[in-house]
Amino acid sequence: MVDSGLGTADRHDPEGRLGAEWVAYAQPARDPEESALRQIVRLGLDPRDVRHLVLTHLHRDHTGGLPDFPGARVHVHPAEYRVVTDPADPHRRHSLDRSGRRTGRTARC
């Protein structure tokens, strides 16, 4: 799968998980049925069948659904990974670091 979008938890508590400023700016859909997890289920697939997630970049609206697919191996370009792991990089604040979460399952491409 390419990108995970906003996850089910993001949709239940958008301000707490994504930040009130970002939510006001982006106005994300809050309906849990819009999550990749629910879309996979509606297609008749088992979410555990998602074995690989390729992330185009690590902004919150592309990575929020990672917890919905705990068995998937995550692939990200090394340059993108460096951006979000460098505390001095200004793009870090828009990335996975928004929740302090690190999955420990990222494979750099």
Side-chain angles (χ1 to χ4, degrees):
M1 186 166 82
V2 177
D3 290 333
S4 66
L6 296 176
T8 53
D10 294 331
R11 293 168 194 282
H12 288 294
D13 180 20
E15 286 82 6
R17 291 189 45 90
L18 304 167
E21 182 180 328
W22 187 86
V23 170
Y25 167 76
Q27 300 180 4
R30 296 176 185 233
D31 183 355
E33 293 302 313
E34 295 292 319
S35 70
L37 176 70
R38 300 281 175 83
Q39 291 181 49
I40 292 287
V41 170
R42 276 198 311 275
L43 289 170
L45 302 170
D46 188 324
R48 293 174 294 192
D49 292 335
V50 177
R51 296 186 312 259
H52 295 273
L53 273 162
V54 177
L55 300 177
T56 58
H57 60 286
L58 299 175
H59 287 174
R60 61 191 85 187
D61 56 332
H62 291 251
T63 62
L66 289 176
D68 293 337
F69 302 95
R73 184 165 185 164
V74 179
H75 303 271
V76 65
H77 192 278
E80 181 69 13
Y81 186 79
R82 277 193 301 276
V83 164
V84 301
T85 56
D86 179 357
D89 195 292
H91 292 98
R92 180 178 178 162
R93 70 183 189 94
H94 299 293
S95 69
L96 279 176
D97 193 53
R98 59 153 169 120
S99 66
R101 182 176 67 232
R102 292 283 183 253
T103 66
R105 56 192 170 98
T106 302
R108 291 176 225 141
C109 298

